[in-house]
Amino acid sequence: MSIRCSFQVMRQIAGGSKNLGYCFQDLKNFLTTVRQKEMVIGDATMRNPSFYYDIQVDSEENIASIFWSYAIMQQDYELFGDLISFDTTYRTNTEYRPLDQACALMKSVPNIFPDVFHGLCSWHMGENAKSNLGSRCNGAFLDELHHLVLNVDDEAEFDFNWNKMLQNCFGGKATSKFTWLVQIHRNRTQWSSAWVKSHFTAGLKTTQLSESFNAFLRHFLQPDHSLVQFFIHFNVMVEKMRDDHADCDFKAANTRPRNNYPNSQLMRSVVAKYTPTSFAFIHKQYDLSFKYYYEEDTSRSSISNRVFKVFTI
């Protein structure tokens, strides 16, 4: 709301200018004084030795971009490194073609960000499969692709499951005419867990975390905020995130998750070392380990190879 609109509203609430006690110019002068005080506070923050900032200007000497970090942010970076979520769905080129998984983008990222891992969004892979494969992109294919993205942790196992997918969904036919399939297989190190697992991605496999974070930002930041207001509200947002993290740390330190295997030395040691969320994941995997058993296949055709069969319960 503009200053003039604010003045009009307050004048109506008061029952007229004579009951308000101040004029429009008084309101402008008051807000100017408040903003000057905010600038002083902001300037004092920027002079803090632990505060780092850098400003980039355009050809007309207007501020184009700002980078800043506080001491605790710098400490976080030293501990965890960096992760960039680049969502290209917000921009299209002049021919209105989406940039997701574009070859030019894949070639540019290593040049701009050398020695970093460039992963692909698994959700957009499914969307691109629908637009590139047509009727071939059915539920069976998407299930196979989802399995390759999330559950296959071994490179040799990936090759086996990829060939199995081609056999089941494409009849084992050559995929040269499906250029999109050829491309994603060539770029498999950027989306399959068999390779992604060796890189730090903060758990990101899709851009959905970026989108949810954007929704979180809207609770604190508005497009019409001044630069000083932006920094003030940004700090409030960061403090809220750190308070939530501190609450999780407190709960993890003062609660012990339920262990259904109290006689297991392994699970007793794990429950004392991991957070409740991490332990719940390990507990689930431990449960699954009891649903498999194997036996040796002693039939004549397999004696020379000593084949073992794996069964699920």
Side-chain angles (χ1 to χ4, degrees):
M1 185 180 292
S2 66
I3 299 177
R4 187 170 296 279
C5 288
S6 300
F7 180 78
Q8 295 293 342
V9 171
M10 288 184 285
R11 184 172 61 179
Q12 291 179 12
I13 293 175
S17 301
K18 61 180 180 180
N19 299 324
L20 193 57
Y22 55 86
C23 64
F24 175 70
Q25 189 60 43
D26 293 331
L27 178 61
K28 289 185 62 176
N29 293 339
F30 172 77
L31 292 177
T32 299
T33 302
V34 170
R35 289 169 180 167
Q36 287 175 343
K37 291 180 179 179
E38 289 178 346
M39 290 294 293
V40 171
I41 296 174
D43 184 60
T45 301
M46 297 179 73
R47 288 198 301 268
N48 191 313
S50 63
F51 180 80
Y52 174 83
Y53 73 96
D54 197 4
I55 298 175
Q56 187 178 46
V57 297
D58 58 19
S59 58
E60 298 179 355
E61 297 297 319
N62 295 318
I63 294 177
S65 58
I66 300 176
F67 174 85
W68 76 98
S69 67
Y70 296 96
I72 192 169
M73 295 179 178
Q74 297 164 21
Q75 181 181 1
D76 290 341
Y77 178 81
E78 290 293 330
L79 292 173
F80 302 107
D82 222 350
L83 184 141
I84 300 175
S85 177
F86 184 54
D87 190 350
T88 58
T89 58
Y90 288 105
R91 292 289 184 268
T92 56
N93 56 22
T94 56
E95 297 177 346
Y96 301 100
R97 292 179 300 187
L99 296 174
D100 296 305
Q101 302 176 27
C103 296
L105 189 63
M106 293 182 181
K107 294 179 181 178
S108 300
V109 169
N111 294 330
I112 305 300
F113 304 104
D115 301 324
V116 301
F117 170 70
H118 175 205
L120 299 178
C121 173
S122 59
W123 183 84
H124 284 106
M125 285 187 61
E127 294 300 301
N128 288 337
K130 296 175 185 177
S131 60
N132 284 277
L133 300 179
S135 60
R136 295 275 191 173
C137 184
N138 51 29
F141 170 79
L142 290 176
D143 288 342
E144 297 274 5
L145 183 64
H146 182 78
H147 178 67
L148 285 169
V149 172
L150 300 178
N151 302 323
V152 178
D153 293 329
D154 181 76
E155 298 179 19
E157 185 182 355
F158 175 90
D159 293 335
F160 172 81
N161 281 270
W162 177 267
N163 293 330
K164 178 183 175 183
M165 180 186 71
L166 296 183
Q167 181 66 38
N168 294 340
C169 302
F170 296 89
K173 296 180 180 179
T175 59
S176 57
K177 62 179 179 179
F178 300 110
T179 56
W180 182 81
L181 268 180
V182 175
Q183 180 184 352
I184 67 165
H185 182 265
R186 185 186 305 120
N187 300 322
R188 58 192 179 278
T189 59
Q190 295 176 286
W191 55 267
S192 173
S193 56
W195 289 271
V196 175
K197 67 178 182 180
S198 61
H199 301 278
F200 172 74
T201 62
L204 280 180
K205 292 184 181 296
T206 72
T207 58
Q208 290 180 351
L209 180 60
S210 174
E211 293 163 5
S212 63
F213 185 67
N214 290 338
F216 177 76
L217 290 177
R218 295 190 188 100
H219 293 292
F220 300 89
L221 305 175
Q222 299 298 327
D224 59 348
H225 281 164
S226 67
L227 191 59
V228 174
Q229 288 175 320
F230 169 82
F231 278 106
I232 293 175
H233 284 258
F234 178 83
N235 288 336
V236 172
M237 179 196 69
V238 172
E239 287 300 319
K240 172 66 168 57
M241 297 176 67
R242 295 194 182 280
D243 287 344
D244 292 344
H245 185 78
D247 290 340
C248 291
D249 285 344
F250 177 82
K251 292 178 182 179
N254 293 276
T255 59
R256 172 158 290 197
R258 180 177 179 180
N259 179 14
N260 292 334
Y261 305 98
N263 296 326
S264 169
Q265 182 179 355
L266 172 63
M267 297 303 289
R268 288 201 307 270
S269 63
V270 168
V271 73
K273 296 180 180 178
Y274 286 86
T275 64
T277 302
S278 298
F279 177 77
F281 174 78
I282 296 173
H283 200 287
K284 181 180 179 181
Q285 300 303 312
Y286 198 72
D287 287 337
L288 292 175
S289 69
F290 292 101
K291 295 184 178 182
Y292 295 88
Y293 71 94
Y294 73 92
E295 64 182 31
E296 186 175 359
D297 185 354
T298 58
S299 62
R300 179 179 297 272
S301 60
S302 61
I303 292 178
S304 59
N305 297 322
R306 296 188 62 82
V307 176
F308 291 88
K309 294 181 178 180
V310 177
F311 301 88
T312 60
I313 301 173

